[in-house]
């Protein structure tokens, strides 16, 4: 009886060890994690210095008289300029853009950047309260970039209003304005999300 009990205990212990050995191969998470990490490293790296590129673009707008710095964009400064017989700046640009979206838009293996740049109304009005400037920095593959201002879509009577999101494969999802039959030429009342892909210098509508 004792021998059979010992035999059963030995059998149970062996099966317990066998069970433990069967569980070891299931620990494959680190291997999968390593492969995930390596594939992530192969993705295009995000551009650095986007804020600096924005600053240079912004200064070019100031020099061309298209906008003024955020610090000078307020009703007091605007009124002082008007009273002094100077032209008051109507549109200001923010000092910083907090929400840059980055992906490889033109397929050269380098991250590009897009943003909705708010347009500030310096005279205190609200007609530009929701106005934005679409700004796209496209890498030229040589360490520099090209700037696309307000990329337009070739479709009569319609316009891109603002960027909604940017996908990893470079597709841009934008809010797209269109005209209802009774709309005046200034103001499209219809709005929908559509996706676009950059090809040969244009953002083309994806059907």
């Amino acid at each position: 009886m004792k021998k059979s009990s010992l035999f059963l205990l030995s059998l149970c212990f062996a099966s317990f060890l066998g069970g433990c050995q069967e569980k070891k191969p299931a620990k494959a998470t680190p291997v999968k994690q390593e492969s995930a990490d390596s594939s992530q490293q192969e993705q295009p790296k995000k551009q650095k210095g986007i804020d600096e590129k924005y600053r240079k673009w912004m200064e070019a707008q100031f020099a061309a008289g298209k906008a003024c710095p955020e610090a000078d964009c307020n009703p007091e400064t605007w009124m002082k300029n008007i009273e002094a017989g100077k032209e008051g700046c109507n549109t200001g640009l923010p000092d910083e853009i907090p929400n840059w979206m980055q992906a490889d838009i033109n397929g050269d293996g380098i991250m590009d950047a897009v943003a909705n740049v708010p347009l500030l109304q310096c005279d205190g009005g609200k007609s530009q309260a929701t106005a934005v400037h679409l700004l796209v920095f496209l890498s030229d593959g040589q360490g520099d970039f090209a700037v696309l201002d307000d990329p337009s879509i070739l479709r009569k009577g319609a316009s891109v209003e603002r960027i909604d999101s940017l996908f990893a494969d470079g597709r841009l999802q934008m809010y797209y304005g269109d005209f209802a039959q009774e709309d005046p030429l200034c103001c499209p009342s219809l709005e929908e999300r559509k996706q676009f892909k950059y090809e040969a210098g244009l953002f083309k509508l994806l059907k």
Side-chain angles (χ1 to χ4, degrees):
M1 190 72 178
K2 289 182 179 179
K3 287 183 178 180
S4 60
S5 298
L6 285 172
F7 175 76
L8 287 173
L9 283 172
S10 300
L11 187 62
C12 289
F13 183 69
S15 63
F16 173 75
L17 287 177
C20 290
Q21 290 173 352
E22 288 177 1
K23 290 180 181 178
K24 285 182 180 179
K27 294 182 179 180
T29 305
V31 177
K32 291 182 180 179
Q33 188 64 44
E34 287 175 9
S35 62
D37 288 345
S38 61
S39 65
Q40 185 66 31
Q41 290 171 1
E42 294 171 3
Q43 296 298 320
K45 293 182 179 180
K46 288 191 174 183
Q47 283 197 47
K48 294 182 179 179
I50 294 295
D51 291 332
E52 177 64 16
K53 292 173 184 177
Y54 171 67
R55 187 185 63 79
K56 289 182 179 179
W57 172 84
M58 186 171 52
E59 288 177 350
Q61 306 308 300
F62 301 157
K66 295 180 179 179
C68 57
E70 184 174 4
D72 297 333
C73 184
N74 55 72
E76 290 182 10
T77 302
W78 182 85
M79 184 57 71
K80 285 179 181 178
N81 287 331
I82 296 298
E83 291 174 348
K86 300 178 182 178
E87 185 177 352
C89 179
N90 295 319
T91 302
L93 295 173
D95 296 333
E96 297 180 356
I97 304 299
N99 298 318
W100 285 104
M101 293 173 271
Q102 294 197 54
D104 184 8
I105 295 174
N106 56 3
D108 67 352
I110 301 174
M111 285 288 190
D112 307 298
V114 300
N116 297 310
V117 180
L119 298 179
L120 311 177
Q121 190 158 341
C122 305
D123 61 3
K126 295 183 179 179
S127 62
Q128 289 189 167
T130 59
V132 296
H133 187 95
L134 305 185
L135 188 60
V136 181
F137 288 135
L138 282 183
S139 166
D140 64 0
Q142 305 297 322
D144 204 352
F145 65 95
V147 178
L148 292 183
D149 295 78
D150 290 317
S152 59
I153 309 304
L154 299 179
R155 179 179 169 189
K156 187 177 180 180
S159 63
V160 172
E161 295 181 347
R162 62 191 181 279
I163 300 167
D164 176 52
S165 53
L166 175 61
F167 296 92
D169 61 1
R171 283 176 297 124
L172 273 171
Q173 183 163 282
M174 305 189 196
Y175 282 103
Y176 197 70
D178 208 346
F179 291 87
Q181 188 171 359
E182 65 278 7
D183 287 344
L185 293 177
C186 68
C187 312
S189 63
L190 304 179
E191 185 180 75
E192 56 183 324
R193 282 189 180 119
K194 288 186 177 291
Q195 291 185 12
F196 300 86
K197 186 71 175 175
Y198 181 78
E199 294 179 13
L202 290 173
F203 283 95
K204 297 183 179 179
L205 178 64
L206 297 176
K207 296 182 179 180

